[in-house]
Amino acid sequence: MSAHPNSTHLENWLFTSEYVNEMLTKSNNRLQPEQQSILPPDGFLDQHETLTLKEEAILKSYFETKIQTILNSKINTNREKYKDLQAVKSTAVMYFKRFYLFNTLMDYDPKLILMSCIYLAHKTEEQFKTENHKMFDEICREEKLDVQEAIQSEMLILKTMKYNLIIIHPEKCVDGFSYDLQHKYSKGIYTEDSSSSSSSSSSSSSSIFVPSKEIQENLVKLFVLAKKIVEKCYTASNSMLVYSPSLIAIASIQKAVQLRSKTSSMIPACNILKKYYNDLVQHISTKNNTDVNEHLSSFQLYQKNNSIKTNPDLSNQLLIKLSNCKNPVVDIHSEIYKQIEEEKKERKRQKELEKYQSIDEDDNDDIFF
């Protein structure tokens, strides 16, 4: 159940929870056959304790939150100037998730991947204006990273994602539902009676109900809260790789209503929104011949069982552990990596030299007719 059913997001990047767990376990395993080309040197794994699957999940959540924190800090400095960074932020987090579904933090420096994801998301969302170029350079300086180092993983990320760049954002689905609710009121589809009871028929047409200014403001607050819940979903678990954006949006609206329904001033707005999403769920279930409530229950259970709980002290401990078990074969700052790169360049130079020597020998051959 989702809009854009033929998008690469829905066709190629929604998996079963079992598949996601399998891929994460596989990428956490440093000795998988597919990774033979980037295995650490002999004896490295005996000397360095690697991250467990759970520890890696905590650090991934930490870096995903860091993407949000970095871009939120820019948005908050000038909301009008950087308002379009909301989409960049969500896209960057999704690129990070997709990359590390098939790779491990221990092989590829998350700080560099994080910056490459932000850089690529800017381009995908068509937000690389002059001021955003300057902002990206500023972020690199703040993170003490060289700009060229920060963007050099772009092609690696693209290959991992199979060049599927389109991201459908649940928060945009929330906006869509907000506009849909306004449209229904303007058409008189909802009435004063239907707003006060979730069991009333949506086809009732006794009188057009225009919510009071207070109710309208509270509805806006509920949709804003739903978008904050969505933002938390990006980093709290891998639900974005399992459930459709529109389902996550409906679940977030549902959660927002649950959180505010005990506040007396919010009850009228909560009743309206509850009536709306119940009608919406019923409509989608009938249209797609599926039980949306069952999917919503599945999502809630997944969030409950897979939410990542962490704290700053634990994250700092794991960052130290990560720094000690980075694979020097792919760590761009390690001497082993630099040596490997030099050997690659030397082999390339030798191949080119042999090629030109072969051409010279052919040119020196005596040709007789």
Side-chain angles (χ1 to χ4, degrees):
M1 52 147 292
S2 185
H4 315 291
N6 297 321
S7 69
T8 55
H9 183 137
L10 301 184
E11 285 193 339
N12 302 336
W13 288 97
L14 288 185
F15 312 103
T16 64
S17 57
E18 292 78 13
Y19 179 82
V20 169
N21 291 335
E22 179 188 345
M23 289 301 102
L24 291 173
T25 303
K26 196 174 181 182
S27 64
N28 180 257
N29 180 4
R30 302 293 288 275
L31 299 176
Q32 56 180 298
E34 296 91 330
Q35 303 284 22
Q36 290 297 325
S37 60
I38 58 170
L39 281 178
D42 291 342
F44 182 86
L45 295 178
D46 297 330
Q47 300 170 23
H48 300 83
E49 185 183 0
T50 58
L51 295 173
T52 65
L53 187 60
K54 184 177 180 180
E55 289 171 339
E56 193 162 9
I58 291 170
L59 279 183
K60 285 176 185 175
S61 177
Y62 167 84
F63 284 108
E64 288 161 2
T65 303
K66 187 167 185 176
I67 292 174
Q68 293 178 335
T69 302
I70 287 172
L71 293 177
N72 278 337
S73 68
K74 300 303 174 186
I75 293 168
N76 292 334
T77 58
N78 191 328
R79 287 193 172 274
E80 185 59 33
K81 183 178 179 181
Y82 294 127
K83 62 182 179 181
D84 294 324
L85 286 185
Q86 294 287 356
V88 173
K89 176 178 65 177
S90 301
T91 297
V93 173
M94 285 305 297
Y95 287 172
F96 190 88
K97 274 189 181 297
R98 289 181 178 185
F99 180 80
Y100 283 113
L101 178 62
F102 301 106
N103 295 285
T104 172
L105 299 173
M106 296 177 283
D107 280 341
Y108 296 103
D109 189 340
K111 289 182 181 178
L112 298 179
I113 297 297
L114 175 156
M115 293 306 299
S116 291
C117 287
I118 292 176
Y119 180 77
L120 184 57
H122 267 96
K123 295 199 285 187
T124 303
E125 299 296 337
E126 299 181 353
Q127 295 304 319
F128 239 143
K129 307 164 188 173
T130 303
E131 59 266 27
N132 286 357
H133 265 293
K134 293 177 181 176
M135 182 203 70
F136 184 79
D137 292 346
E138 184 181 309
I139 292 173
C140 289
R141 286 195 298 274
E142 290 170 357
E143 296 299 314
K144 299 178 181 177
L145 292 171
D146 179 81
V147 174
Q148 291 307 311
E149 284 185 0
I151 65 175
Q152 73 172 19
S153 302
E154 181 183 10
M155 188 54 65
L156 180 64
I157 294 168
L158 285 169
K159 287 179 179 178
T160 300
M161 297 196 303
K162 300 177 182 176
Y163 301 90
N164 294 163
L165 300 176
I166 300 300
I167 303 292
I168 301 171
H169 303 123
E171 58 269 36
K172 288 188 177 179
C173 296
V174 171
D175 285 334
F177 294 142
S178 173
Y179 298 141
D180 184 47
L181 179 58
Q182 293 174 33
H183 173 74
K184 281 178 165 57
Y185 275 120
S186 69
K187 295 295 182 182
I189 294 174
Y190 280 166
T191 66
E192 189 167 11
D193 290 339
S194 68
S195 71
S196 60
S197 173
S198 61
S199 62
S200 301
S201 170
S202 62
S203 61
S204 174
S205 56
S206 58
S207 63
I208 294 176
F209 171 61
V210 180
S212 67
K213 185 177 179 181
E214 182 185 5
I215 291 177
Q216 290 181 44
E217 289 174 351
N218 287 339
L219 282 170
V220 170
K221 289 177 183 177
L222 286 169
F223 280 113
V224 169
L225 176 58
K227 289 167 77 169
K228 288 181 179 178
I229 293 168
V230 167
E231 184 162 330
K232 185 63 179 174
C233 287
Y234 277 101
T235 60
S237 72
N238 288 308
S239 58
M240 295 286 179
L241 297 171
V242 179
Y243 296 93
S244 71
S246 55
L247 184 82
I248 293 171
I250 294 173
S252 299
I253 292 171
Q254 196 178 50
K255 184 66 174 178
V257 169
Q258 290 173 0
L259 290 173
R260 294 292 180 265
S261 59
K262 293 180 181 178
T263 305
S264 58
S265 61
M266 296 292 290
I267 289 175
C270 287
N271 286 338
I272 290 171
L273 199 48
K274 187 176 181 180
K275 166 66 179 169
Y276 171 74
Y277 73 65
N278 283 338
D279 286 351
L280 181 65
V281 165
Q282 185 178 0
H283 170 72
I284 296 172
S285 296
T286 303
K287 183 179 178 181
N288 295 335
N289 193 28
T290 185
D291 187 350
V292 176
N293 280 314
E294 187 178 318
H295 292 300
L296 287 169
S297 298
S298 171
F299 170 78
Q300 291 160 1
L301 184 62
Y302 183 90
Q303 287 292 88
K304 181 180 178 181
N305 293 337
N306 296 277
S307 288
I308 299 163
K309 295 177 176 61
T310 185
N311 58 70
D313 289 340
L314 177 58
S315 296
N316 288 333
Q317 290 172 17
L318 293 179
L319 285 171
I320 294 170
K321 185 174 180 179
L322 173 62
S323 67
N324 292 327
C325 63
K326 277 184 183 177
N327 186 349
V329 173
V330 283
D331 178 6
I332 64 172
H333 297 114
S334 77
E335 291 302 319
I336 292 177
Y337 176 85
K338 292 173 183 176
Q339 182 182 341
I340 291 171
E341 288 302 302
E342 280 300 317
E343 289 173 357
K344 284 181 182 177
K345 289 177 184 177
E346 182 60 31
R347 285 196 296 271
K348 187 176 179 181
R349 282 195 293 267
Q350 287 296 330
K351 276 189 176 182
E352 289 176 350
L353 185 60
E354 290 171 6
K355 178 181 175 183
Y356 289 124
Q357 284 177 342
S358 175
I359 293 172
D360 289 342
E361 288 172 4
D362 289 343
D363 288 342
N364 291 332
D365 286 345
D366 291 332
I367 301 175
F368 296 97
F369 292 94

